[in-house]
Amino acid sequence: MHPFFIFVKCELGKAYDVAAALVEEVEGVSEVYSISGPFELLVKVYIDDGQDIGRYVNESIHKLPHIKDTQTIITFNAFT
């Protein structure tokens, strides 16, 4: 499994609705955090190694209502 993160910008007043939809409806979403700054949510996702991240974001995240913009952060190595 490969982790990556997605910043999500929501329509005004819809961050809680988007967060609930991400947790309840999108396979692979591990955690959703409310954050400060230009985006309202930070989403942690795990997908299978070799799975196309761009296709996942396009087909699983962008289709949800009330999402205005996203920024995907691809991870390389976890230091423990």
Side-chain angles (χ1 to χ4, degrees):
M1 298 295 277
H2 187 82
F4 67 97
F5 296 87
I6 306 168
F7 287 117
V8 177
K9 186 177 290 187
C10 306
E11 293 175 0
L12 289 176
K14 296 297 184 178
Y16 281 80
D17 294 336
V18 172
L22 286 163
V23 170
E24 295 168 6
E25 300 173 21
V26 181
E27 185 176 344
V29 170
S30 169
E31 301 163 42
V32 178
Y33 297 92
S34 59
I35 58 173
S36 62
F39 294 90
E40 285 78 36
L41 303 173
L42 175 62
V43 183
K44 186 175 184 180
V45 179
Y46 286 95
I47 61 172
D48 291 330
D49 291 334
Q51 187 175 349
D52 186 325
I53 291 173
R55 183 175 296 275
Y56 173 89
V57 172
N58 189 50
E59 294 177 356
S60 299
I61 306 297
H62 288 168
K63 71 174 186 174
L64 295 175
H66 311 301
I67 291 180
K68 290 177 62 175
D69 193 15
T70 63
Q71 181 177 347
T72 302
I73 312 305
I74 299 171
T75 61
F76 298 110
N77 193 16
F79 298 96
T80 58

